[in-house]
């Protein structure tokens, strides 16, 4: 959650810009964005615009065209869980009386509720393909567990675990 929480300020990428920014510099000149131009709460309109941006901003730094990811995780805080489910899973457009179909229902979107997000109305789209998103999980030392011990006072079983892990962002594209 810290990568997301700090993504607008201190979590920077290789171009020395915050992870979520509207002014990522491209090697051949110009800029690109991976967030809305103005802050937007989770809604049908803001999510639709995010997918339009993902489908049309298809150039990478060296100018090649790339295919947008096929499936996404929609990461939300617990306060946004039901709003996200309403938007993604409704048969008809939520909050509309026109009975139009909900185009989000047919997209490959999985809602992930992260209780550790500090901003309760923030939301993030992350590709399901781990090679397509710029987030990194590095296991510096695998989980190690020596033999369990018994607490002499209480008789409780004690387990020691040791591990070293790191979560970071290496690329701003597709997130």
């Amino acid at each position: 959650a810290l990568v997301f929480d700090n993504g607008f300020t201190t979590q920077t990428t290789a171009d020395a810009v915050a992870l979520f920014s509207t002014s990522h510099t491209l090697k051949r000149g110009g800029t690109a964005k991976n967030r809305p131009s103005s802050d937007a709460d989770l809604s049908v309109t803001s999510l639709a615009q995010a997918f339009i941006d993902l489908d049309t901003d298809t150039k990478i730094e060296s100018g090649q065209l790339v295919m947008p990811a096929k499936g996404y995780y929609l990461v939300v805080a617990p306060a946004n869980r039901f709003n996200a489910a309403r938007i993604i899973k409704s048969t008809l457009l939520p909050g509309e009386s026109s009975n139009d179909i909900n185009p989000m229902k047919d997209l490959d979107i999985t809602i992930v509720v992260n209780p550790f997000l500090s901003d309760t109305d923030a939301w993030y789209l992350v590709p399901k393909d781990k090679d397509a998103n710029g987030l990194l999980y590095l296991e510096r030392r695998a989980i190690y567990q020596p033999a369990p011990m018994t607490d002499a006072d209480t008789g409780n079983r004690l387990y020691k675990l040791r591990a070293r892990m790191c979560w970071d962002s290496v690329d701003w594209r597709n997130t």
Side-chain angles (χ1 to χ4, degrees):
L2 280 177
V3 173
F4 291 123
D5 286 342
N6 296 331
F8 297 95
T9 54
T10 58
Q11 184 73 38
T12 59
T13 56
D15 61 357
V17 176
L19 173 60
F20 304 116
S21 175
T22 58
S23 60
H24 287 286
T25 54
L26 299 175
K27 288 180 185 174
R28 292 190 176 190
T31 60
K33 65 179 183 168
N34 67 337
R35 63 167 288 186
S37 299
S38 59
D39 292 342
D41 289 340
L42 182 61
S43 67
V44 174
T45 307
S46 62
L47 195 57
Q49 186 61 50
F51 277 103
I52 291 168
D53 291 346
L54 285 166
D55 288 345
T56 56
D57 293 343
T58 56
K59 283 191 177 181
I60 57 176
E61 295 207 20
S62 54
Q64 303 103 316
L65 293 174
V66 294
M67 289 293 294
K70 297 291 182 205
Y72 288 89
Y73 294 113
L74 175 61
V75 182
V76 298
N80 240 343
R81 167 189 305 209
F82 298 109
N83 186 30
R86 220 175 273 118
I87 292 169
I88 302 301
K89 297 179 180 181
S90 294
T91 305
L92 304 176
L93 272 178
E96 297 284 328
S97 60
S98 61
N99 288 339
D100 287 343
I101 64 162
N102 183 3
M104 302 284 176
K105 188 173 184 249
D106 294 331
L107 298 176
D108 182 9
I109 304 171
T110 303
I111 299 168
V112 175
V113 178
N114 188 330
F116 301 108
L117 292 173
S118 64
D119 188 351
T120 59
D121 64 348
W123 56 278
Y124 307 90
L125 277 175
V126 180
K128 288 183 177 180
D129 179 5
K130 290 182 171 110
D131 293 331
N133 70 47
L135 303 177
L136 171 74
Y137 163 73
L138 179 64
E139 193 169 282
R140 297 174 62 190
R141 180 180 165 110
I143 292 178
Y144 167 73
Q145 179 180 358
M149 302 172 289
T150 303
D151 186 328
D153 294 333
T154 63
N156 290 342
R157 194 76 140 170
L158 302 174
Y159 295 90
K160 282 186 177 182
L161 292 175
R162 181 165 188 242
R164 293 187 70 188
M165 297 157 215
C166 169
W167 290 265
D168 204 352
S169 61
V170 292
D171 197 352
W172 55 268
R173 291 169 203 81
N174 279 338
T175 301

